[in-house]
Amino acid sequence: MSVWDDLVGQEAAVEQLRSAARAGAALLAGDRRAAAGMTHAWLFTGPPGAGRSAAARAFAAALQCREDPPGCGHCASCHQVLQGTHADVEVVRPAGLSYGVKETRELVLRAASSPSGGRWQIVLFEDAERATEAAANALLKAIEEPPPRTVWLLCAPSPDDLVVTIRSRCRLVTLRTPPAQAVADALVQRDGIEPDVALEAARAAQGDLERARRLAADPEARRRRGEVLSLPTRLTGVAPAVQAAAALVAAADADAKATAEELNEAEVAQLRRALGESEKGRMPRGTAGALKELEERQKSRATRIKRDSLDRALLDLASYYRDVLMLQLGAPVEPVNGDKAAELRAAAAESAPETTLRRLEAIMECRRRLDANVNPLLAVEAMTLSLRTG
Ligand SMILES: [Zn+2]
Protein backbone atom coordinates (compact mmCIF):
# COMPACT_ATOMS: atom_id res chain seq x y z
CA MET A 1 0.00 0.00 0.00
CA SER A 2 1.17 3.54 -0.75
CA VAL A 3 -0.29 7.02 -1.09
CA TRP A 4 -0.52 6.54 -4.88
CA ASP A 5 -2.97 3.62 -4.71
CA ASP A 6 -6.10 5.72 -5.19
CA LEU A 7 -4.90 7.26 -8.44
CA VAL A 8 -6.54 4.74 -10.71
CA GLY A 9 -5.36 4.81 -14.34
CA GLN A 10 -2.92 7.75 -13.79
CA GLU A 11 0.41 5.97 -14.29
CA ALA A 12 2.18 8.87 -16.05
CA ALA A 13 1.22 11.47 -13.44
CA VAL A 14 2.12 9.10 -10.59
CA GLU A 15 5.59 8.53 -12.07
CA GLN A 16 6.11 12.29 -12.40
CA LEU A 17 5.03 12.91 -8.78
CA ARG A 18 7.04 10.01 -7.37
CA SER A 19 10.24 11.34 -8.84
CA ALA A 20 9.42 14.90 -7.73
CA ALA A 21 8.86 13.63 -4.19
CA ARG A 22 12.25 11.88 -4.28
CA ALA A 23 13.84 15.11 -5.53
CA GLY A 24 12.10 16.99 -2.71
CA ALA A 25 13.52 14.61 -0.12
CA ALA A 26 17.02 14.88 -1.63
CA LEU A 27 16.75 18.66 -1.61
CA LEU A 28 15.82 18.71 2.09
CA ALA A 29 18.82 16.44 2.71
CA GLY A 30 21.02 19.14 1.18
CA ASP A 31 21.50 17.71 -2.31
CA ARG A 32 21.44 20.78 -4.56
CA ARG A 33 21.48 18.71 -7.74
CA ALA A 34 17.93 17.64 -6.84
CA ALA A 35 16.66 21.22 -7.07
CA ALA A 36 15.53 20.92 -10.69
CA GLY A 37 13.27 17.97 -9.87
CA MET A 38 11.34 19.92 -7.26
CA THR A 39 9.55 23.24 -7.56
CA HIS A 40 7.33 25.49 -5.43
CA ALA A 41 4.16 25.68 -7.51
CA TRP A 42 2.26 22.83 -9.11
CA LEU A 43 -0.92 22.85 -11.14
CA PHE A 44 -3.01 19.67 -11.20
CA THR A 45 -5.43 19.58 -14.11
CA GLY A 46 -7.84 17.00 -15.47
CA PRO A 47 -11.53 16.38 -16.16
CA PRO A 48 -14.03 16.05 -13.27
CA GLY A 49 -13.56 12.77 -11.45
CA ALA A 50 -10.01 12.21 -12.69
CA GLY A 51 -8.83 12.83 -9.13
CA ARG A 52 -7.06 16.21 -9.22
CA SER A 53 -7.27 16.84 -5.50
CA ALA A 54 -6.59 13.18 -4.65
CA ALA A 55 -3.37 13.40 -6.69
CA ALA A 56 -2.38 16.68 -5.02
CA ARG A 57 -3.08 15.18 -1.60
CA ALA A 58 -1.00 12.08 -2.37
CA PHE A 59 1.86 14.33 -3.50
CA ALA A 60 1.57 16.41 -0.32
CA ALA A 61 1.76 13.18 1.73
CA ALA A 62 4.83 12.01 -0.20
CA LEU A 63 6.55 15.37 0.37
CA GLN A 64 5.96 15.15 4.13
CA CYS A 65 6.85 11.44 4.40
CA ARG A 66 10.31 10.53 5.72
CA GLU A 67 10.33 6.96 4.42
CA ASP A 68 12.27 5.87 1.36
CA PRO A 69 10.68 5.90 -1.20
CA PRO A 70 8.52 8.74 0.12
CA GLY A 71 4.75 8.29 0.19
CA CYS A 72 4.73 4.96 2.08
CA GLY A 73 1.07 5.37 3.03
CA HIS A 74 1.45 3.87 6.52
CA CYS A 75 3.59 6.28 8.56
CA ALA A 76 1.93 8.81 10.89
CA SER A 77 2.73 11.67 8.54
CA CYS A 78 1.16 9.99 5.48
CA HIS A 79 -1.95 9.20 7.54
CA GLN A 80 -2.26 12.76 8.79
CA VAL A 81 -2.01 14.25 5.31
CA LEU A 82 -4.51 11.82 3.82
CA GLN A 83 -6.94 12.45 6.69
CA GLY A 84 -6.50 16.21 6.49
CA THR A 85 -5.00 16.67 9.97
CA HIS A 86 -1.32 17.35 9.14
CA ALA A 87 -0.16 20.63 10.72
CA ASP A 88 1.88 21.67 7.66
CA VAL A 89 -0.68 20.90 4.98
CA GLU A 90 -3.55 23.34 4.58
CA VAL A 91 -6.36 22.33 2.25
CA VAL A 92 -8.32 25.25 0.80
CA ARG A 93 -11.68 24.26 -0.55
CA PRO A 94 -13.66 27.28 -1.71
CA ALA A 95 -17.13 26.56 -0.34
CA GLY A 96 -18.95 29.25 -2.26
CA LEU A 97 -18.85 30.04 -5.95
CA SER A 98 -15.75 32.22 -5.71
CA TYR A 99 -12.71 32.79 -3.49
CA GLY A 100 -11.97 36.34 -2.38
CA VAL A 101 -8.88 38.47 -1.99
CA LYS A 102 -9.08 38.86 1.80
CA GLU A 103 -9.08 35.11 2.34
CA THR A 104 -6.26 34.70 -0.16
CA ARG A 105 -4.04 37.31 1.55
CA GLU A 106 -4.52 35.56 4.90
CA LEU A 107 -3.71 32.27 3.22
CA VAL A 108 -0.52 33.68 1.67
CA LEU A 109 0.60 34.87 5.12
CA ARG A 110 0.00 31.47 6.70
CA ALA A 111 1.78 29.75 3.83
CA ALA A 112 4.89 31.83 4.49
CA SER A 113 5.37 30.50 8.03
CA SER A 114 7.99 27.80 8.57
CA PRO A 115 6.79 24.21 8.66
CA SER A 116 6.44 22.88 12.22
CA GLY A 117 7.55 19.41 11.14
CA GLY A 118 10.68 20.75 9.50
CA ARG A 119 9.86 19.68 5.92
CA TRP A 120 7.45 21.66 3.71
CA GLN A 121 4.65 24.13 4.32
CA ILE A 122 2.07 22.98 1.79
CA VAL A 123 -1.11 24.69 0.59
CA LEU A 124 -3.45 22.53 -1.46
CA PHE A 125 -5.84 24.82 -3.28
CA GLU A 126 -8.80 22.89 -4.69
CA ASP A 127 -10.84 24.57 -7.44
CA ALA A 128 -8.25 27.32 -7.83
CA GLU A 129 -10.22 28.57 -10.83
CA ARG A 130 -12.71 30.01 -8.35
CA ALA A 131 -10.21 32.60 -7.19
CA THR A 132 -11.40 36.08 -8.15
CA GLU A 133 -9.07 38.26 -10.22
CA ALA A 134 -7.90 40.18 -7.16
CA ALA A 135 -7.38 36.90 -5.29
CA ALA A 136 -5.38 35.54 -8.22
CA ASN A 137 -3.11 38.61 -8.06
CA ALA A 138 -2.48 38.07 -4.36
CA LEU A 139 -1.70 34.44 -5.11
CA LEU A 140 0.63 35.37 -7.96
CA LYS A 141 2.86 37.43 -5.68
CA ALA A 142 3.22 34.47 -3.33
CA ILE A 143 4.09 32.10 -6.16
CA GLU A 144 6.58 34.51 -7.73
CA GLU A 145 8.64 34.84 -4.58
CA PRO A 146 8.04 31.69 -2.58
CA PRO A 147 9.62 31.20 0.83
CA PRO A 148 12.13 28.32 0.52
CA ARG A 149 9.96 25.72 2.24
CA THR A 150 6.54 26.65 0.84
CA VAL A 151 4.83 24.52 -1.81
CA TRP A 152 1.61 25.49 -3.62
CA LEU A 153 -0.54 22.74 -5.12
CA LEU A 154 -3.29 24.26 -7.27
CA CYS A 155 -6.10 22.22 -8.80
CA ALA A 156 -8.23 23.29 -11.78
CA PRO A 157 -10.05 21.55 -14.64
CA SER A 158 -7.60 22.85 -17.27
CA PRO A 159 -4.58 25.20 -17.45
CA ASP A 160 -6.78 27.72 -19.29
CA ASP A 161 -8.90 28.14 -16.17
CA LEU A 162 -6.10 30.10 -14.50
CA VAL A 163 -4.61 33.42 -15.57
CA VAL A 164 -1.51 32.92 -17.69
CA THR A 165 0.76 34.65 -15.19
CA ILE A 166 0.00 31.99 -12.56
CA ARG A 167 -0.16 29.11 -15.00
CA SER A 168 3.27 29.87 -16.45
CA ARG A 169 4.88 29.69 -13.00
CA CYS A 170 3.45 26.27 -12.17
CA ARG A 171 4.73 22.87 -13.18
CA LEU A 172 1.85 21.04 -14.81
CA VAL A 173 0.52 17.64 -13.70
CA THR A 174 -2.00 16.36 -16.23
CA LEU A 175 -4.51 13.75 -15.13
CA ARG A 176 -6.58 11.95 -17.71
CA THR A 177 -10.00 10.36 -17.67
CA PRO A 178 -9.14 6.88 -16.40
CA PRO A 179 -10.13 4.00 -18.71
CA ALA A 180 -13.44 2.32 -17.71
CA GLN A 181 -11.66 -1.01 -17.25
CA ALA A 182 -9.17 0.48 -14.75
CA VAL A 183 -12.03 2.02 -12.74
CA ALA A 184 -13.98 -1.28 -12.86
CA ASP A 185 -10.94 -3.25 -11.66
CA ALA A 186 -10.56 -0.88 -8.71
CA LEU A 187 -14.23 -1.33 -7.75
CA VAL A 188 -13.89 -5.13 -7.92
CA GLN A 189 -10.66 -5.28 -5.92
CA ARG A 190 -11.44 -2.72 -3.25
CA ASP A 191 -15.19 -2.69 -2.88
CA GLY A 192 -15.90 -6.31 -3.75
CA ILE A 193 -18.35 -5.33 -6.47
CA GLU A 194 -19.32 -7.91 -9.13
CA PRO A 195 -17.20 -7.46 -12.29
CA ASP A 196 -20.11 -6.88 -14.70
CA VAL A 197 -21.85 -4.40 -12.37
CA ALA A 198 -18.50 -2.65 -11.87
CA LEU A 199 -17.81 -2.32 -15.60
CA GLU A 200 -21.29 -1.00 -16.36
CA ALA A 201 -21.01 1.55 -13.53
CA ALA A 202 -17.49 2.56 -14.65
CA ARG A 203 -18.66 3.17 -18.23
CA ALA A 204 -21.73 5.10 -17.05
CA ALA A 205 -19.60 7.25 -14.73
CA GLN A 206 -17.25 8.10 -17.61
CA GLY A 207 -14.11 7.63 -15.59
CA ASP A 208 -15.25 9.25 -12.33
CA LEU A 209 -14.26 6.70 -9.67
CA GLU A 210 -16.43 8.15 -6.89
CA ARG A 211 -19.43 8.41 -9.19
CA ALA A 212 -18.85 4.82 -10.40
CA ARG A 213 -18.66 3.59 -6.80
CA ARG A 214 -21.91 5.34 -5.95
CA LEU A 215 -23.67 3.97 -9.04
CA ALA A 216 -22.43 0.44 -8.34
CA ALA A 217 -23.34 0.50 -4.65
CA ASP A 218 -26.49 2.63 -4.47
CA PRO A 219 -29.63 1.43 -6.29
CA GLU A 220 -31.23 4.86 -5.75
CA ALA A 221 -28.38 6.56 -7.65
CA ARG A 222 -28.86 4.06 -10.49
CA ARG A 223 -32.58 4.73 -10.53
CA ARG A 224 -32.06 8.52 -10.75
CA ARG A 225 -29.57 8.08 -13.59
CA GLY A 226 -32.09 5.83 -15.37
CA GLU A 227 -34.66 8.58 -15.04
CA VAL A 228 -32.33 11.12 -16.64
CA LEU A 229 -31.58 8.76 -19.54
CA SER A 230 -35.25 8.00 -20.14
CA LEU A 231 -35.89 11.70 -20.81
CA PRO A 232 -35.39 11.52 -24.62
CA THR A 233 -38.22 8.98 -25.00
CA ARG A 234 -40.59 11.10 -22.91
CA LEU A 235 -40.51 14.18 -25.15
CA THR A 236 -43.73 13.41 -27.01
CA GLY A 237 -45.25 16.91 -26.83
CA VAL A 238 -44.83 20.36 -25.32
CA ALA A 239 -46.50 19.48 -22.00
CA PRO A 240 -44.46 16.27 -21.55
CA ALA A 241 -41.29 18.23 -22.41
CA VAL A 242 -42.04 20.79 -19.68
CA GLN A 243 -42.80 17.98 -17.22
CA ALA A 244 -39.59 16.18 -18.16
CA ALA A 245 -37.63 19.36 -17.39
CA ALA A 246 -39.16 19.59 -13.91
CA ALA A 247 -38.44 15.90 -13.30
CA LEU A 248 -34.81 16.31 -14.40
CA VAL A 249 -34.22 19.25 -12.05
CA ALA A 250 -35.93 17.35 -9.21
CA ALA A 251 -33.82 14.21 -9.81
CA ALA A 252 -30.62 16.26 -9.78
CA ASP A 253 -31.71 17.98 -6.55
CA ALA A 254 -32.43 14.63 -4.90
CA ASP A 255 -29.02 13.34 -5.97
CA ALA A 256 -27.33 16.47 -4.60
CA LYS A 257 -29.21 16.18 -1.31
CA ALA A 258 -28.07 12.56 -0.85
CA THR A 259 -24.45 13.50 -1.61
CA ALA A 260 -24.48 16.54 0.68
CA GLU A 261 -26.08 14.68 3.59
CA GLU A 262 -23.51 11.92 3.40
CA LEU A 263 -20.65 14.45 3.46
CA ASN A 264 -22.26 16.57 6.19
CA GLU A 265 -22.92 13.71 8.60
CA ALA A 266 -19.35 12.45 8.39
CA GLU A 267 -17.93 15.96 8.92
CA VAL A 268 -20.18 16.75 11.88
CA ALA A 269 -19.32 13.44 13.55
CA GLN A 270 -15.60 14.07 12.97
CA LEU A 271 -15.74 17.63 14.30
CA ARG A 272 -17.77 16.60 17.38
CA ARG A 273 -15.15 13.97 18.21
CA ALA A 274 -12.33 16.44 17.63
CA LEU A 275 -14.02 19.00 19.94
CA GLY A 276 -14.30 16.43 22.72
CA GLU A 277 -17.82 15.02 22.60
CA SER A 278 -18.62 12.96 25.71
CA GLU A 279 -19.72 9.34 25.50
CA LYS A 280 -23.30 10.43 26.11
CA GLY A 281 -23.07 12.80 23.13
CA ARG A 282 -22.69 16.02 25.17
CA MET A 283 -20.44 18.77 23.87
CA PRO A 284 -18.00 20.78 26.03
CA ARG A 285 -18.73 24.48 26.62
CA GLY A 286 -17.72 26.95 23.94
CA THR A 287 -17.85 24.54 21.02
CA ALA A 288 -21.20 25.65 19.59
CA GLY A 289 -19.51 28.32 17.46
CA ALA A 290 -17.30 25.84 15.65
CA LEU A 291 -20.26 23.59 14.90
CA LYS A 292 -22.30 26.57 13.69
CA GLU A 293 -19.45 27.61 11.41
CA LEU A 294 -19.28 24.13 9.91
CA GLU A 295 -23.03 24.26 9.31
CA GLU A 296 -22.64 27.55 7.43
CA ARG A 297 -19.88 26.14 5.25
CA GLN A 298 -21.99 23.09 4.51
CA LYS A 299 -24.92 25.27 3.46
CA SER A 300 -22.87 27.20 0.96
CA ARG A 301 -21.34 23.97 -0.33
CA ALA A 302 -24.83 22.51 -0.81
CA THR A 303 -25.52 25.18 -3.44
CA ARG A 304 -22.46 24.08 -5.34
CA ILE A 305 -23.27 20.38 -5.07
CA LYS A 306 -26.70 21.15 -6.48
CA ARG A 307 -25.20 22.88 -9.51
CA ASP A 308 -22.67 20.10 -10.03
CA SER A 309 -25.38 17.49 -9.77
CA LEU A 310 -27.55 19.12 -12.43
CA ASP A 311 -24.49 19.55 -14.63
CA ARG A 312 -23.71 15.85 -14.27
CA ALA A 313 -27.30 14.96 -15.23
CA LEU A 314 -26.82 17.08 -18.36
CA LEU A 315 -23.54 15.32 -19.12
CA ASP A 316 -25.31 11.94 -18.72
CA LEU A 317 -27.92 13.15 -21.17
CA ALA A 318 -25.23 14.37 -23.57
CA SER A 319 -23.55 10.95 -23.34
CA TYR A 320 -26.85 9.41 -24.49
CA TYR A 321 -27.00 11.56 -27.63
CA ARG A 322 -23.28 11.01 -28.20
CA ASP A 323 -23.96 7.26 -28.21
CA VAL A 324 -26.82 7.84 -30.67
CA LEU A 325 -24.52 9.90 -32.91
CA MET A 326 -21.80 7.23 -32.87
CA LEU A 327 -24.38 4.63 -33.98
CA GLN A 328 -25.64 6.94 -36.73
CA LEU A 329 -22.08 7.46 -37.98
CA GLY A 330 -21.23 3.78 -37.62
CA ALA A 331 -18.23 4.63 -35.43
CA PRO A 332 -16.67 1.57 -33.75
CA VAL A 333 -16.61 2.90 -30.17
CA GLU A 334 -17.91 1.35 -26.97
CA PRO A 335 -21.15 3.17 -25.95
CA VAL A 336 -21.16 4.93 -22.58
CA ASN A 337 -24.70 3.70 -21.97
CA GLY A 338 -24.31 0.09 -23.07
CA ASP A 339 -27.21 -0.90 -20.81
CA LYS A 340 -29.56 1.09 -23.09
CA ALA A 341 -28.47 -0.54 -26.36
CA ALA A 342 -31.96 -1.24 -27.76
CA GLU A 343 -33.20 2.29 -27.02
CA LEU A 344 -30.08 3.85 -28.51
CA ARG A 345 -30.52 1.86 -31.73
CA ALA A 346 -34.17 2.91 -31.99
CA ALA A 347 -33.24 6.57 -31.43
CA ALA A 348 -30.45 6.35 -34.01
CA ALA A 349 -32.86 4.95 -36.63
CA GLU A 350 -35.45 7.66 -35.97
CA SER A 351 -33.34 10.73 -36.68
CA ALA A 352 -30.44 12.07 -38.73
CA PRO A 353 -26.93 12.83 -37.39
CA GLU A 354 -27.55 16.58 -37.98
CA THR A 355 -30.54 16.44 -35.62
CA THR A 356 -28.48 14.64 -32.97
CA LEU A 357 -25.78 17.30 -33.27
CA ARG A 358 -28.36 20.06 -32.76
CA ARG A 359 -29.64 18.23 -29.69
CA LEU A 360 -26.13 17.97 -28.27
CA GLU A 361 -25.72 21.69 -28.89
CA ALA A 362 -28.99 22.37 -27.01
CA ILE A 363 -27.60 20.52 -23.98
CA MET A 364 -24.32 22.46 -24.11
CA GLU A 365 -26.25 25.72 -24.42
CA CYS A 366 -28.22 24.77 -21.31
CA ARG A 367 -24.95 24.15 -19.42
CA ARG A 368 -23.67 27.56 -20.50
CA ARG A 369 -26.87 29.23 -19.27
CA LEU A 370 -26.68 27.49 -15.92
CA ASP A 371 -23.10 28.63 -15.64
CA ALA A 372 -24.36 32.18 -16.22
CA ASN A 373 -26.82 31.73 -13.32
CA VAL A 374 -30.03 31.44 -15.35
CA ASN A 375 -32.89 29.91 -13.33
CA PRO A 376 -32.28 26.12 -13.62
CA LEU A 377 -35.88 25.20 -14.40
CA LEU A 378 -36.14 27.80 -17.18
CA ALA A 379 -32.84 26.77 -18.75
CA VAL A 380 -33.73 23.08 -18.64
CA GLU A 381 -37.22 23.72 -20.06
CA ALA A 382 -35.72 25.61 -23.00
CA MET A 383 -33.46 22.63 -23.54
CA THR A 384 -36.15 19.92 -23.41
CA LEU A 385 -38.27 21.93 -25.85
CA SER A 386 -35.31 22.10 -28.29
CA LEU A 387 -34.61 18.40 -27.80
CA ARG A 388 -38.22 17.63 -28.68
CA THR A 389 -38.21 19.54 -31.97
CA GLY A 390 -34.68 18.37 -32.76
ZN1 LIG B 1 4.84 7.82 4.82
Side-chain angles (χ1 to χ4, degrees), residues 3 61-62 64-79:
V3 294
Q64 305 291 22
C65 176
R66 291 173 193 273
E67 300 296 314
D68 184 25
C72 67
H74 48 71
C75 72
S77 173
C78 279
H79 272 292

Side-chain angles (χ1 to χ4, degrees), residues 61-386:
L63 287 174
Q64 305 291 22
C65 176
R66 291 173 193 273
E67 300 296 314
D68 184 25
C72 67
H74 48 71
C75 72
S77 173
C78 279
H79 272 292
Q80 284 164 358
V81 178
L82 296 180
Q83 285 172 357
T85 55
H86 196 288
D88 297 331
V89 178
E90 175 159 0
V91 179
V92 182
R93 204 178 289 123
L97 295 171
S98 66
Y99 196 73
V101 63
K102 185 168 163 277
E103 300 158 287
T104 310
R105 286 205 183 111
E106 287 165 6
L107 180 67
V108 167
L109 276 180
R110 284 200 301 280
S113 62
S114 6
S116 57
R119 290 181 77 82
W120 306 97
Q121 185 68 256
I122 300 178
V123 181
L124 195 174
F125 200 142
E126 292 184 355
D127 301 326
E129 76 280 7
R130 291 182 203 271
T132 60
E133 203 183 323
N137 281 331
L139 195 58
L140 177 62
K141 286 203 192 84
I143 291 176
E144 272 175 337
E145 291 159 31
R149 291 294 180 86
T150 301
V151 180
W152 291 87
L153 308 178
L154 311 180
C155 303
S158 82
D160 299 332
D161 292 315
L162 292 187
V163 291
V164 63
T165 41
I166 290 189
R167 186 167 84 214
S168 63
R169 281 173 178 82
C170 294
R171 196 164 299 170
L172 197 62
V173 180
T174 310
L175 300 155
R176 58 172 185 159
T177 298
Q181 192 60 55
V183 172
D185 290 347
L187 293 181
V188 173
Q189 283 161 19
R190 291 184 219 169
D191 303 84
I193 289 164
E194 291 296 319
D196 47 340
V197 176
L199 189 58
E200 199 175 296
R203 285 215 181 99
Q206 302 182 61
D208 185 330
L209 180 63
E210 269 318 302
R211 170 83 173 141
R213 186 173 283 145
R214 184 179 280 274
L215 281 174
D218 179 4
E220 262 304 293
R222 281 204 294 279
R223 192 189 59 74
R224 284 191 293 263
R225 173 175 169 270
E227 211 167 285
V228 169
L229 292 176
S230 72
L231 184 138
T233 55
R234 283 185 280 131
L235 305 174
T236 50
V238 171
V242 171
Q243 280 159 12
L248 181 74
V249 174
D253 281 357
D255 215 23
K257 198 160 169 256
T259 308
E261 274 170 8
E262 204 179 291
L263 286 170
N264 293 356
E265 276 168 26
E267 281 171 358
V268 170
Q270 200 183 9
L271 182 62
R272 289 179 71 98
R273 273 197 307 276
L275 292 174
E277 180 179 26
S278 77
E279 281 193 18
K280 288 182 180 152
R282 292 179 52 132
M283 299 301 297
R285 270 171 194 277
T287 54
L291 283 163
K292 181 93 195 127
E293 196 182 303
L294 176 64
E295 200 180 300
E296 289 302 314
R297 272 212 309 277
Q298 291 179 335
K299 263 190 212 152
S300 106
R301 181 179 63 194
T303 311
R304 242 181 79 193
I305 294 179
K306 224 163 146 174
R307 277 170 76 124
D308 291 350
S309 168
L310 184 54
D311 193 50
R312 192 173 51 222
L314 294 175
L315 287 175
D316 281 345
L317 198 57
S319 76
Y320 177 96
Y321 286 108
R322 175 190 163 277
D323 284 348
V324 170
L325 185 65
M326 292 302 132
L327 283 172
Q328 288 171 327
L329 299 176
V333 287
E334 197 66 49
V336 171
N337 307 289
D339 51 330
K340 302 258 177 248
E343 245 182 83
L344 292 170
R345 273 197 301 277
E350 265 169 19
S351 62
E354 294 73 26
T355 313
T356 311
L357 277 172
R358 278 200 299 278
R359 287 178 166 144
L360 277 165
E361 179 47 40
I363 297 170
M364 294 307 144
E365 177 59 26
C366 181
R367 294 182 67 210
R368 280 192 289 275
R369 285 185 188 162
L370 290 172
D371 212 34
N373 274 326
V374 172
N375 174 302
L377 193 53
L378 292 181
V380 174
E381 265 176 20
M383 177 193 76
T384 55
L385 290 168
S386 312

